[in-house]
Amino acid sequence: MNEIISIILVSIIILFIEIYSETHLKNYGRFIERIVYLFSIKTLFNLFKFSVLISSAYVLLDLQKSNFLSETVKNKIINIDIQNFEIYLIPSAIFSLGYIIMNSKELNRQLEDYSIDNETLNKFFAKIKYLFFRTISYLLTFIIFKYTLEYTIELNITLNQRNLFVFDWLNVNSSNVDNYNKGVYFSLILTIIIFFLFNNSFIKKNSGEWEYREIKFDFVKYFFITVILSLGLFFGFFSIFNGFYNLFNSNLSIWISKENVLGILPIRISSLLIIIYLLSYIYKEILNKDIISFLLIGILPLRSIKNYNGNINFEKHETLFFSQISFYIINIALAEFFIIIGYKNIYISILNFAILFILDDFKIINDYSQGLKKVLTSHFIRVWIFNLIMLLVAIILLAEKEYYFILATYLIFTFLLFRYYFMNFRFINLQEKI
């Protein structure tokens, strides 16, 4: 009996995610339209968002301590009970039949195929198509939820094995022993929250009230910006919380000495400065200096706010600044990643030096030249020499460690940033004298 109850419980959760997402995104219409939109970016993002929310609640609230819940997760979600699989479909089947009874006319209107002359057969096939759509939708939601929960649990176990917890950065014991992992968990949680908040707003911001299923290319641009922002924010948060832990674990003079010797303190400062620069860009160019409306759309169940609209444009002068700052962010992220895993190498020192040397110079050059509108050729060449140094060193480091997935991701991001940079190269006015 407990097995049936646990499967039903899982199925209800899956059904709730599926139906809420469908209702929220207005996935109605003809059969083919529903199937196409079911696999769209918006729907997949929405399903993933709720799966992350429930999975995070499961591990953060320590619900695995309940034998019933832990057994249910292990034996009914992560390991699917194939022998009783028909039970998984019971809640979805009950909902589908109830919907067919209460909305028969609307389903017939949307899903009937008038290529068949027999009206009774048309109505029958309309209902069959709806049941078929419900089955595909349920299975897709189940798969996303299963793997999200499984990997969330694995990540939590891995972090806990390294004595990393949500508030580990507050557990100061004055042992004078530094730890460059503390704060990772809390930084990750904050970053995930901001990631979903931003993209939730971006989805609504790029969707008309009556064409909510339409996917504009601007959303892909917003998504790219959010990934860059989240990457920078994670390491920015990590710099704050991990720095806090190590500072109060010793004293100020010892902390500064250690951080300087390891070359960590300057990277921490750089990561914070660069996030300030990027957030300033996003506030002005992406949010149109209206952060209140943006947050309301992201947090509340609103589709739009009157007089709040506008789309991002990557084909303009300010994109030069965004592309360059974002390139620094992915390199700072790489440098701090090697700090977290405790990897030491001469090339890391070179990467740190290159970032520190050019970051402040670039900001001064950019401000002085009003966003590279009139920039000295020597200054421009200096920026790009260090860009190439960082690129080359990053490739060597990742290749040496055989982190080929991270290397491929790094190169893809670099390619996209350089592409947008050179698309707007015409805005740069190189001069020998100013």
Side-chain angles (χ1 to χ4, degrees):
M1 189 66 181
N2 281 341
E3 287 188 355
I4 296 176
I5 293 174
S6 59
I7 292 175
I8 295 294
L9 176 64
V10 169
S11 301
I12 290 173
I13 293 173
I14 302 297
L15 180 64
F16 169 79
I17 296 173
E18 175 199 358
I19 299 304
Y20 181 85
S21 178
E22 178 182 322
T23 305
H24 182 64
L25 297 178
K26 295 184 178 180
N27 189 11
Y28 312 124
R30 300 182 64 186
F31 176 75
I32 295 299
E33 291 175 333
R34 292 183 182 217
I35 292 295
V36 169
Y37 194 63
L38 179 63
F39 290 91
S40 71
I41 293 174
K42 286 184 180 180
T43 305
L44 294 177
F45 173 78
N46 220 44
L47 297 177
F48 179 64
K49 176 178 66 178
F50 282 103
S51 297
V52 169
L53 175 64
I54 295 173
S55 301
S56 300
Y58 177 78
V59 298
L60 293 176
L61 296 176
D62 238 358
L63 298 180
Q64 63 265 29
K65 288 183 178 179
S66 165
N67 290 331
F68 174 74
L69 289 178
S70 62
E71 287 298 314
T72 298
V73 168
K74 180 181 178 182
N75 299 323
K76 307 305 176 187
I77 301 179
I78 296 177
N79 300 311
I80 301 172
D81 189 349
I82 301 297
Q83 292 182 342
N84 296 303
F85 190 75
E86 65 277 2
I87 301 176
Y88 286 90
L89 302 175
I90 290 176
S92 183
I94 293 173
F95 172 84
S96 300
L97 291 174
Y99 190 87
I100 287 173
I101 293 170
M102 292 185 292
N103 297 275
S104 181
K105 290 184 179 180
E106 183 62 22
L107 281 179
N108 292 338
R109 185 185 68 81
Q110 293 180 1
L111 300 176
E112 271 187 314
D113 187 345
Y114 292 100
S115 61
I116 302 174
D117 293 332
N118 190 305
E119 185 178 348
T120 303
L121 279 178
N122 271 320
K123 292 179 179 179
F124 173 75
F125 283 121
K127 294 174 177 60
I128 292 296
K129 282 188 283 187
Y130 177 73
L131 291 174
F132 186 52
F133 166 76
R134 284 263 68 89
T135 303
I136 296 174
S137 179
Y138 177 85
L139 292 176
L140 175 65
T141 307
F142 188 95
I143 290 170
I144 292 174
F145 181 76
K146 164 188 158 54
Y147 284 106
T148 302
L149 180 59
E150 181 179 354
Y151 289 123
T152 301
I153 292 171
E154 286 185 8
L155 176 61
N156 180 63
I157 292 172
T158 302
L159 292 173
N160 290 168
Q161 286 173 344
R162 299 174 65 179
N163 293 318
L164 300 178
F165 305 93
V166 177
F167 296 107
D168 54 15
W169 51 281
L170 288 173
N171 187 20
V172 177
N173 53 27
S174 300
S175 63
N176 289 326
V177 178
D178 291 342
N179 185 302
Y180 294 101
N181 287 170
K182 300 293 186 182
V184 166
Y185 207 142
F186 192 60
S187 301
L188 182 62
I189 291 173
L190 288 179
T191 303
I192 289 173
I193 292 172
I194 292 173
F195 173 80
F196 284 119
L197 172 64
F198 265 66
N199 278 288
N200 203 37
S201 292
F202 289 154
I203 284 177
K204 296 177 183 179
K205 189 174 162 63
N206 285 274
S207 303
E209 181 67 24
W210 300 107
E211 287 134 4
Y212 201 66
R213 295 194 299 170
E214 180 184 351
I215 300 173
K216 299 179 181 178
F217 186 66
D218 278 346
F219 171 72
V220 180
K221 295 180 180 179
Y222 280 121
F223 187 84
F224 178 64
I225 287 175
T226 311
V227 171
I228 293 289
L229 174 64
S230 298
L231 190 65
L233 284 176
F234 172 75
F235 289 100
F237 289 143
F238 170 73
S239 293
I240 294 172
F241 301 121
N242 182 257
F244 176 90
Y245 174 85
N246 287 322
L247 172 61
F248 288 94
N249 210 36
S250 55
N251 61 61
L252 183 60
S253 59
I254 294 175
W255 179 72
I256 291 176
S257 297
K258 287 181 179 179
E259 298 266 313
N260 271 327
V261 168
L262 295 173
I264 297 173
L265 181 59
I267 286 293
R268 292 194 195 280
I269 296 172
S270 296
S271 64
L272 295 176
L273 288 175
I274 212 165
I275 285 302
I276 292 172
Y277 300 155
L278 182 62
L279 287 175
S280 176
Y281 168 84
I282 290 174
Y283 175 70
K284 295 176 183 176
E285 304 298 329
I286 312 300
L287 308 186
N288 302 317
K289 298 182 179 181
D290 188 357
I291 193 169
I292 301 299
S293 297
F294 182 83
L295 291 176
L296 287 175
I297 291 178
I299 297 172
L300 300 178
L302 301 174
R303 293 195 184 279
S304 61
I305 290 180
K306 188 177 181 181
N307 298 325
Y308 181 68
N309 49 35
N311 294 318
I312 183 175
N313 181 7
F314 262 9
E315 289 71 44
K316 61 179 183 178
H317 183 267
E318 288 74 12
T319 305
L320 294 165
F321 178 79
F322 165 76
S323 300
Q324 185 62 65
I325 286 294
S326 298
F327 181 66
Y328 292 151
I329 281 178
I330 63 174
N331 282 281
I332 285 177
L334 197 60
E336 294 213 39
F337 167 73
F338 284 116
I339 290 172
I340 291 173
I341 66 173
Y343 181 63
K344 298 177 181 179
N345 188 293
I346 184 63
Y347 289 110
I348 296 177
S349 300
I350 296 174
L351 181 62
N352 291 348
F353 170 77
I355 294 169
L356 297 173
F357 182 87
I358 200 59
L359 175 59
D360 194 48
D361 271 17
F362 169 72
K363 187 63 171 63
I364 293 171
I365 291 169
N366 185 79
D367 291 346
Y368 177 72
S369 60
Q370 295 181 328
L372 305 180
K373 290 180 180 178
K374 292 183 179 180
V375 60
L376 290 174
T377 304
S378 60
H379 290 173
F380 179 80
I381 292 173
R382 185 196 308 170
V383 169
W384 272 90
I385 286 175
F386 280 89
N387 283 349
L388 295 175
I389 290 173
M390 284 184 277
L391 176 62
L392 181 61
V393 169
I395 292 173
I396 293 172
L397 280 168
L398 292 171
E400 276 192 354
K401 289 291 289 181
E402 298 183 354
Y403 291 152
Y404 297 120
F405 176 77
I406 298 177
L407 175 58
T409 305
Y410 175 86
L411 291 175
I412 290 171
F413 274 91
T414 300
F415 170 77
L416 290 172
L417 292 171
F418 283 2
R419 177 180 179 271
Y420 284 118
Y421 189 96
F422 287 107
M423 279 174 58
N424 297 279
F425 190 79
R426 65 186 182 280
F427 293 113
I428 298 176
N429 185 8
L430 297 177
Q431 297 185 2
E432 296 302 322
K433 294 182 180 181
I434 295 180

